[in-house]
Amino acid sequence: MTDLERRDLLRGVAGAATAPFFVDSVAGQAAPDPGPVGVHAAYGRDPASTLRVGWSGAPAVDARVEIGRPDEPPTTVDAEANPVPGREAVAYAATVTGLAPDTAYEYEAVLDDRRAGPFSIETAPDATDGFTVTAVGDHGVADPENPFQRPDDDVPNRVMDVAADLDPDLQILVGDISYANGKPSTWELYFETFESFYAETPFMTAAGNHEAEPGTGLTQYDRRLNDLMPIHDPPGPDDFQHGRRWYHFDYDNTRFISLTTTADGCGDVSRGEEFVPIYDPRCEFGGVTYGDVQERYLRRVLEEALEDDDVRWKVVYFHGPFWTDSPDHAPRDLLRDRWGTILDEYGVDLVLSGDNHVWERTKPIAAKPDRDDYAPADAWDWESDVGTTYVTNGTGGVSHYGFGNRTPSEYFARRTNSYFVTTDREGGDPVVRDSFEIRKAEEHTDHGARRPTQIDLYDGPVDDDLVVQGSREDDGRVFTGGQTDRIRLTYDANRAVRIRDRIPSDWEVTGGDATRTDDGAPGDTKWVYFDSDAAESGSVTYFVEVPEGPTRTGRYALGPVQATTDDRAEWVAVPGTTSEETVVGAGTGT
C-alpha cells in the first residue's frame, strides 16, 4: 500500500507452484449471465478527465454507459463489444471523456433493458496534498468449478477488503489476476466477486504469465482489461507481431508506467505461452522484438517525464521481478540488464512486481558505472544511500512460496512469506509488516534526474519468514496401471515444521509414514499427511498405487510439498519437491 505526496516523500507500507494449464471445452461452459455483470473501471491517460468502464454479458443490440453528476441528467456513451472465449460471452468497454477534475459521478452499465449500478466514482484532482495507491499481484478467486484454480479459501476476498478499507484513489494489480487458466467462467466469477470495489476504484493492470491462457493466449486479458488501459499511441509496424500492452498515465505529480513481461505466442509454440521470452529473436518483426519496442517506449516516456516540471515521482510496474530470493521464478536478469539500466538513468523511484508469492523490498539499488553487462547482481550497488526501490508483492491470496536461501540476499531490506499483504489482523486492525519512505536526494543522474533515497521505517528483522528446502524421490517416472510408487520426501527448515504432500486424487495411499489423506487440495488432487512431530529437518516415505484402466493413461503432477509451523495457519510451498509421472493405464496383467 503506497501513499504518494506532493512533498519530497513517497511512503509505502505492507502487511502481511505453478498450476497446470488446461483447455476447457466451450461446450461445457454454462451460458454467461445476460449482464451487465462484473463492472470495473480504469483511468484514461488523463485521470482528471477520462474514465473507462468495462463489463461482460450476453450479446446486446444496445450497449452503453449512462454517467453524470448526482441529481443531474446523465450523458450516454456507447460501448464497444468484443467477443471473448466462452459461450456467447462478450466484453464491453466504454470510454468517457470530458469529465471535470475532482468530481464525483454516478454511472450505470446498460445492455438493452438490463442495468448494473448505480456506481459512484471520482475523477482525479488536478493537484493534491497526497493520494493513496493500493498494489498487489497474484490475486485470484476461489472457484470450486475450476479444477485447476489456485485459491481455495477467502484470502483473495480479505486482501481486497483491506484495500477497500484504505479507500485508495486507484488500485494496481501487477499480473496473475483471475487464475482462470483457460476456464472462461472463472473470469466472470472474478469480476462479479470484486465488482463493488473495482466499479468504484479505478483498476490498473499489467499482464502476468497466467493471463497467457492455453488455446486462447491473452485474449481474455486483452478484451476484459487491456482494452480499458490508456493505450493511446497509434499502432505501428511493430504491433503486427504482438498486441500492445504497455501504457502510462499521470496522476497528480506522479507518472505511472506499466510494462509487460508476458509475450504472445511465437517461435517454438511447444514451449507454452508463458515461457516465451520477450527478447526471443524468433519473435522479431521488422528487426525488433517485443522487448525492444517496450525498451524504446520506456526511454521515451521517462525522457518526457524528466522534461515535465509537474512530474516529480516515477513508478513502474510489471509482473516478473528483477530481484528475488524465491526460486519459483528466477530474477529476470536479462530485463535487469536491458530495462534496469534505463530505470536507473532516469531516477525511477519505485518498481512494483509480483510473480513470486512473497513480499520483498530491496535497499536502494543503483547501477555501478562502466559495466558491459548489468544482468549479474554484482553489477549493481546497494550499499549507497541512493537508487531505485524494488518491491515484489505476490501476496494477493493464492499461496506462499518458499525462499531458496536461509539468509536474505544482501540487497534486501525486508522479506517475508508469512502474510497475505495486511490481512493478518490483531484486534480487527491490519498489522503493518513493512514500512518505508522514499525521498528525493540531492544527487542527480547523468540525465539530470534527481535520485531517490529510501528510509526504512520498519523496526523488525529483515526477515521473519519460514525457509524450507526439500527433495522428492520416486521409484521412476513411468508406471503401468496398478503399480506401486515409493515416494521419499526430505526437508530442511530454519524452524521446526510439519509437512504434507499433494498427489492426484485417484492415486491410493497404501502404506508407509502417511497417516491420512484430505480431498481439500485444489483441483483434482488431495493432501497426504504424516503423523510426526515438528522438526527442523527430516524425511518421510510412503507408498501409493497408481490408477489402472485405459482412461487413466496420462501425465500426473505430484507436489509441491508444503510446510507449516505449529504457530501459523498458512502453509508454504517447499522448492524442489515437484515431479511429473507418466501412467500407462492398462493394468500389469493385461
Side-chain angles (χ1 to χ4, degrees):
M1 312 303 177
T2 303
D3 288 328
L4 294 164
E5 303 188 4
R6 293 192 62 79
R7 301 183 300 276
D8 284 351
L9 171 66
L10 183 153
R11 179 179 297 113
V13 297
T18 303
F21 284 136
F22 75 107
V23 178
D24 194 73
S25 170
V26 171
Q29 292 285 310
D33 188 304
V37 68
V39 180
H40 49 286
Y43 280 130
R45 177 69 62 83
D46 178 13
S49 65
T50 306
L51 290 168
R52 293 181 168 183
V53 180
W55 67 91
S56 61
V61 175
D62 181 17
R64 65 188 187 276
V65 165
E66 295 180 1
I67 185 169
R69 302 184 190 190
D71 303 322
E72 292 185 4
T75 297
T76 297
V77 179
D78 292 335
E80 294 183 0
N82 285 292
V84 291
R87 286 185 57 189
E88 299 181 347
V90 178
Y92 296 90
T95 300
V96 185
T97 60
L99 300 173
D102 197 17
T103 301
Y105 288 89
E106 290 185 352
Y107 73 93
E108 292 183 307
V110 184
L111 291 178
D112 295 332
D113 59 349
R114 306 182 301 278
R115 293 175 175 268
F119 303 103
S120 299
I121 196 167
E122 295 183 8
T123 52
D126 284 329
T128 74
D129 290 328
F131 61 97
T132 300
V133 180
T134 51
V136 75
D138 306 83
H139 189 209
V141 64
D143 183 359
E145 301 301 320
N146 189 334
F148 295 109
Q149 176 60 18
R150 302 291 288 279
D152 55 358
D153 53 33
D154 67 344
V155 172
N157 303 64
R158 291 191 283 126
V159 168
M160 284 300 105
D161 287 344
V162 171
D165 288 346
L166 293 171
D167 191 23
D169 296 281
L170 65 99
Q171 161 79 11
I172 293 174
L173 215 159
V174 293
D176 285 3
I177 296 165
S178 74
Y179 284 89
N181 292 343
K183 190 174 180 65
S185 58
T186 301
W187 279 104
E188 304 288 344
L189 177 62
Y190 180 84
F191 284 112
E192 289 178 35
T193 301
F194 303 111
E195 181 182 69
S196 61
F197 182 52
Y198 289 155
E200 300 192 341
T201 305
F203 175 44
M204 314 304 291
T205 64
N209 53 289
H210 279 273
E211 274 65 75
E213 300 183 73
T216 59
L218 287 137
T219 302
Q220 292 276 16
Y221 173 79
D222 286 345
R223 298 290 80 83
R224 295 178 185 273
L225 286 168
N226 197 58
D227 282 355
L228 301 186
M229 298 301 109
I231 301 171
H232 289 303
D233 297 325
D238 300 333
D239 298 305
F240 288 106
Q241 176 69 35
H242 299 284
R244 181 166 296 194
R245 301 181 187 92
W246 51 90
Y247 60 87
H248 69 280
F249 64 97
D250 295 341
Y251 192 106
D252 189 17
N253 60 355
T254 303
R255 173 150 296 183
F256 291 90
I257 303 171
S258 176
L259 303 174
T260 179
T261 56
T262 302
D264 297 275
C266 57
D268 181 4
V269 296
S270 66
R271 292 173 296 170
E273 288 276 5
E274 69 169 301
F275 301 110
V276 177
I278 64 175
Y279 280 98
D280 192 323
R282 289 171 290 186
C283 304
E284 289 184 358
F285 187 88
V288 294
T289 66
Y290 203 38
D292 293 322
V293 178
Q294 292 186 83
E295 196 174 315
R296 296 174 182 178
Y297 175 81
L298 176 62
R299 187 177 294 277
R300 175 171 65 82
V301 297
L302 286 174
E303 183 69 36
E304 292 171 353
L306 185 61
E307 296 172 355
D308 188 339
D309 292 338
D310 292 331
V311 175
R312 180 181 297 274
W313 300 103
K314 297 175 285 291
V315 177
V316 178
Y317 54 97
F318 44 80
H319 189 58
F322 289 1
W323 305 90
T324 181
D325 273 347
S326 177
D328 287 82
H329 298 288
R332 303 299 205 276
D333 53 0
L334 173 60
L335 296 185
R336 190 160 61 195
D337 176 46
R338 301 292 292 266
W339 294 1
T341 50
I342 300 174
L343 302 176
D344 183 69
E345 290 170 17
Y346 288 94
V348 167
D349 302 286
L350 178 65
V351 174
L352 303 172
S353 298
D355 206 10
N356 283 328
H357 303 173
V358 297
W359 168 271
E360 296 169 312
R361 169 173 59 91
T362 69
K363 302 172 183 176
I365 293 181
K368 293 179 179 178
D370 304 323
R371 295 296 182 101
D372 294 328
D373 183 3
Y374 285 92
D378 62 10
W380 297 82
D381 179 13
W382 50 82
E383 299 298 335
S384 68
D385 295 329
V386 297
T388 301
T389 296
Y390 292 82
V391 168
T392 299
N393 184 8
T395 63
V398 175
S399 65
H400 291 302
Y401 284 171
F403 290 115
N405 49 342
R406 289 197 177 195
T407 302
S409 294
E410 293 180 354
Y411 43 75
F412 279 124
R414 176 78 170 114
R415 75 173 194 181
T416 180
N417 60 6
S418 299
Y419 311 99
F420 287 112
V421 197
T422 52
T423 57
D424 188 59
R425 294 175 179 266
E426 294 177 3
D429 296 323
V431 179
V432 175
R433 298 299 178 184
D434 192 15
S435 182
F436 63 98
E437 291 179 356
I438 297 175
R439 298 177 181 267
K440 291 294 188 181
E442 294 303 319
E443 182 178 335
H444 289 71
T445 70
D446 291 342
H447 282 72
R450 287 181 66 183
R451 286 193 178 276
T453 186
Q454 182 192 114
I455 299 174
D456 192 343
L457 301 178
Y458 182 70
D459 59 3
V462 173
D463 71 313
D464 56 5
D465 42 81
L466 174 61
V467 181
V468 191
Q469 296 173 308
S471 65
R472 173 189 297 273
E473 296 178 7
D474 292 87
D475 278 343
R477 288 290 179 263
V478 180
F479 297 89
T480 303
Q483 277 191 311
T484 297
D485 179 18
R486 183 185 65 174
I487 300 173
R488 183 173 186 268
L489 308 172
T490 65
Y491 60 93
D492 183 33
N494 62 342
R495 304 184 208 168
V497 298
R498 292 175 289 108
I499 66 169
R500 65 182 182 183
D501 197 15
R502 180 179 170 185
I503 64 173
S505 59
D506 54 358
W507 288 41
E508 182 180 354
V509 176
T510 59
D513 295 325
T515 57
R516 66 183 178 92
T517 61
D518 182 347
D519 292 332
D524 194 17
T525 63
K526 61 186 176 185
W527 298 117
V528 180
Y529 290 89
F530 309 94
D531 186 15
S532 58
D533 295 332
E536 291 188 6
S537 63
S539 65
V540 295
T541 300
Y542 71 104
F543 301 88
V544 295
E545 184 177 294
V546 303
E548 187 174 358
T551 61
R552 296 294 186 262
T553 296
R555 299 169 70 183
Y556 293 81
L558 282 72
V561 171
Q562 292 190 340
T564 190
T565 62
D566 288 336
D567 60 352
R568 62 182 280 161
E570 305 294 344
W571 293 79
V572 171
V574 179
T577 59
T578 59
S579 67
E580 191 172 78
E581 321 296 348
T582 299
V583 173
V584 180
T588 55
T590 61

